[in-house]
Amino acid sequence: MRGLTLHQQLAQELESSRAQVLAAIDGLSDEEASRPAADGWSVKDHLTHIMLWHEMRFFEISRIARGGRASFPVTNEAGVEGINGWFVAGRRALTLDQVIADLEFARAMVLEAVANAPEDRLDQRLYEEIGIQGGAAHDREHAGLIIAWRQKEGL
C-alpha cells in the first residue's frame, strides 16, 4: 500500500476485513447465527469473539498512544481460550443485531484510536498479544470460518 500513511493503511485493512465479516454473515437469521458449529461456537460467538479483541485492542492502542506500555502480555493458548470462553458465554444471550451493533462500535473505537495515535506509537513492536495489524487478519480468519460453516450447512 504505497503512498499511504500507517494510519491510512491500518484503517484500510480494518475496513476491508469488516466488509469480509459482513459479507460472511449476510442474510443469516438470529436463529441460524445462534446454531453451534462443530467447534461449539456459533456465528454470533465468533462475532462476539472478534468484538472482544477489538475492545481490548482499543484500550491497548489508546494506552500505548499516551506513552504507556502494552498491558496484555503474550500468554499461552489456555489463557486466551479461558478469556474467549468467558466473554463468549457471557454475551451469548445477545441478539444477532446487538452483536453486530456492538462489533461495529468496537471496530469504530479501534479506528478512532488509530487515527488519534501518533504514528510512532503504532509501531507493532510496542504491542504484545494484542497487535494492531493482527486485527484485520483476525477478522478475516473468522470470516473464513463462518463461510466454511455456511457452506457445510448449506446456508
Side-chain angles (χ1 to χ4, degrees):
M1 294 187 212
R2 301 183 91 199
L4 296 178
T5 68
L6 185 52
H7 291 95
Q8 293 167 327
Q9 180 183 348
L10 291 170
Q12 191 174 69
E13 289 172 7
L14 284 167
E15 284 300 324
S16 172
S17 66
R18 173 188 178 268
Q20 290 175 337
V21 169
L22 291 176
I25 64 171
D26 186 46
L28 285 177
S29 69
D30 194 273
E31 184 274 321
E32 291 166 336
S34 298
R35 280 190 221 156
D39 65 0
W41 274 16
S42 68
V43 169
K44 281 188 350 183
D45 292 340
H46 282 276
L47 298 175
T48 296
H49 166 77
I50 295 169
M51 174 200 338
L52 162 67
W53 288 93
H54 279 310
E55 289 170 352
M56 293 195 306
R57 189 170 289 109
F58 163 77
F59 288 110
E60 283 293 82
I61 296 167
S62 299
R63 181 178 299 105
I64 292 168
R66 294 187 317 270
R69 295 186 47 192
S71 69
F72 198 94
V74 173
T75 186
N76 62 33
E77 192 63 28
V80 171
E81 289 303 317
I83 291 166
N84 289 334
W86 189 70
F87 272 87
V88 165
R91 295 178 180 182
R92 201 163 266 145
L94 298 176
T95 66
L96 177 59
D97 287 343
Q98 182 67 56
V99 170
I100 293 169
D102 290 351
L103 174 57
E104 291 289 289
F105 182 75
R107 190 179 286 111
M109 289 178 15
V110 170
L111 287 167
E112 181 180 325
V114 166
N116 292 327
E119 186 129 343
D120 67 322
R121 302 307 290 175
L122 296 174
D123 185 328
Q124 188 61 39
R125 294 172 291 190
L126 298 172
Y127 296 82
E128 293 184 28
E129 183 72 29
I130 306 175
I132 302 171
Q133 289 145 347
H138 183 244
D139 287 6
R140 284 190 293 274
E141 175 186 346
H142 284 276
L145 292 170
I146 293 167
I147 290 167
W149 173 81
R150 286 187 78 165
Q151 289 171 342
K152 182 177 177 235
E153 294 292 311
L155 299 171

